[in-house]
Structure formats: C-alpha cells, structure tokens
Amino acid sequence: MKIGEFLVKNNYISQETLNEALSLQMHDKNLRIGELLVKMEAITKKDLLQYINEYIKVAADIDMGEAKDWLNQDQVDNMFSKYFNSHK
C-alpha cells in the first residue's frame, strides 16, 4: 500500500485530494505526495509526520513479500534528511 492509499483508507484525505496531488506530481516528479499535500494545505506538516509514523507501523505488519518495491532504510533516511533540510 502506498502512502496516498493509506491516507485515503484512513480518511486523512479524500480520494479527490489524492488525485489532485498525483496530478500535480506529474508536472514535477521530484515532489513527494506528502510535500504536495502540505503545500495544498490538505494536511499540516505535523499531521504528515504523524501519518508517516502510523504508515510505518502498518507497513511493519505487512508480509515482506508485498514490500519488495518499498524504499530501503538508507533511502528513507535520505528522503527524511532532504525533506527536513529543505524546510528549515
């Protein structure tokens, strides 16, 4: 399950909001869905961090066969580092 699907499934955002963010992402592949949702003011940065933590907990319970296409820990660490450094 991707983070956007997780957010919709848990009613943190609507499917329409996710679709809008995905449409915007098509114009700039460097933007992450979470970043777009914050820029769109669909969620706050604080909420995004909470949702990511929840998502990680859920992901830990999923059969690892389903997670073969997910980011590895180094990629996640790099993503968080870039995100937080760009928002200081």
Side-chain angles (χ1 to χ4, degrees):
M1 176 184 324
K2 295 181 179 182
I3 186 75
E5 295 166 349
F6 172 82
L7 295 173
V8 171
K9 180 180 178 183
N10 289 285
N11 296 314
Y12 296 134
I13 62 170
S14 67
Q15 183 64 52
E16 293 78 22
T17 300
L18 176 59
N19 292 345
E20 183 180 347
L22 290 170
S23 178
L24 291 170
Q25 189 183 42
M26 292 177 76
H27 300 290
D28 187 349
K29 298 285 185 186
N30 294 322
L31 293 174
R32 306 253 182 233
I33 290 297
E35 181 180 5
L36 285 167
L37 292 168
V38 170
K39 285 184 177 187
M40 293 167 51
E41 298 182 355
I43 59 175
T44 66
K45 188 187 294 189
K46 181 180 176 184
D47 287 340
L48 175 61
L49 295 174
Q50 176 189 333
Y51 301 156
I52 289 172
N53 283 328
E54 291 176 27
Y55 177 69
I56 290 169
K57 289 177 187 175
V58 169
D61 293 334
I62 295 177
D63 175 23
M64 290 310 292
E66 296 177 26
K68 67 182 183 321
D69 295 327
W70 292 9
L71 300 174
N72 65 36
Q73 188 61 50
D74 289 337
Q75 291 169 315
V76 171
D77 292 344
N78 187 32
M79 178 184 71
F80 278 118
S81 176
K82 285 181 181 178
Y83 181 80
F84 288 112
N85 288 333
S86 68
H87 291 88
K88 286 184 178 180

